Amino acid sequence: QVQFVESGGGLVQPGASLRLSCVVSGFNLDNFGMGWFRQAPGKEREGVSCISSKDGNTYYADSVKGRFTVSRDRATRTVYLQMNSLKPEDTAKYYCATDFEGDPCDAVVGGMTVNRMDYWGKGTTVTVSS
C-alpha cells in the first residue's frame, strides 16, 4: 500500500527556515519522480519543486527558486524540501505527490495541471508570520 507522510511544518517568522519531510512506503523512489506542491487558503494548488522521473534533475517554481532545495534519501525513503528565507507568501499546506505514469515536474514547471498527480500525502502546514 502506497503511503506518503509529510511532516516538518510549523509557524515561523519571515526569514526563517524549515525542512519538510515526506516519508514514502509501498513505493520505490528510484522508479518515479516526486513533487512538492502547496495550497494557500483560497488559492489553487500549485507546484513548488520536483525531482524528475525523466532525468533525475530537480526543478523549482520561479517563486521559490534560490530559496528552496529538494532532495531525496533512498536509504530512509524520504524526500525533503529545505525552505530558506521564508516569506509570508509561502504560507500554505504543503504536499508531496507523484505521477505514476508521467513526470511530476510537468506539473511543477511544465504547465501541466497538478491534477495529473496520482497519489498525494495529507500535507503539512507552513505558516510564515511575524
Side-chain angles (χ1 to χ4, degrees):
Q1 180 180 351
V2 176
Q3 189 173 22
F4 296 169
V5 179
E6 301 97 332
S7 63
L11 170 63
V12 296
Q13 294 188 337
S17 297
L18 280 175
R19 187 176 77 161
L20 305 184
S21 300
C22 171
V23 178
V24 307
S25 57
F27 179 81
N28 191 336
L29 275 177
D30 290 334
N31 295 341
F32 300 96
M34 288 292 294
W36 281 99
F37 300 82
R38 68 186 181 186
Q39 187 165 19
K43 294 189 176 181
E44 292 187 355
R45 197 169 294 190
E46 64 177 2
V48 175
S49 180
C50 59
I51 300 173
S52 174
S53 59
K54 296 174 187 171
D55 56 21
N57 290 335
T58 57
Y59 297 90
Y60 301 89
D62 288 343
S63 57
V64 306
K65 203 172 293 183
R67 300 188 297 122
F68 290 12
T69 303
V70 64
S71 62
R72 63 183 164 190
D73 184 331
R74 292 178 174 85
T76 61
R77 299 182 179 229
T78 304
V79 181
Y80 297 101
L81 185 67
Q82 177 67 42
M83 307 187 296
N84 298 329
S85 303
L86 283 161
K87 305 176 181 180
E89 51 263 44
D90 295 318
T91 295
K93 194 164 188 178
Y94 285 71
Y95 303 85
C96 57
T98 194
D99 182 344
F100 290 136
E101 297 183 0
D103 189 341
C105 291
D106 289 340
V108 175
V109 295
M112 303 294 283
T113 174
V114 301
N115 294 329
R116 66 184 289 118
M117 296 302 105
D118 293 303
Y119 196 85
W120 297 84
K122 295 190 186 320
T124 185
T125 300
V126 173
T127 304
V128 185
S129 175
S130 55

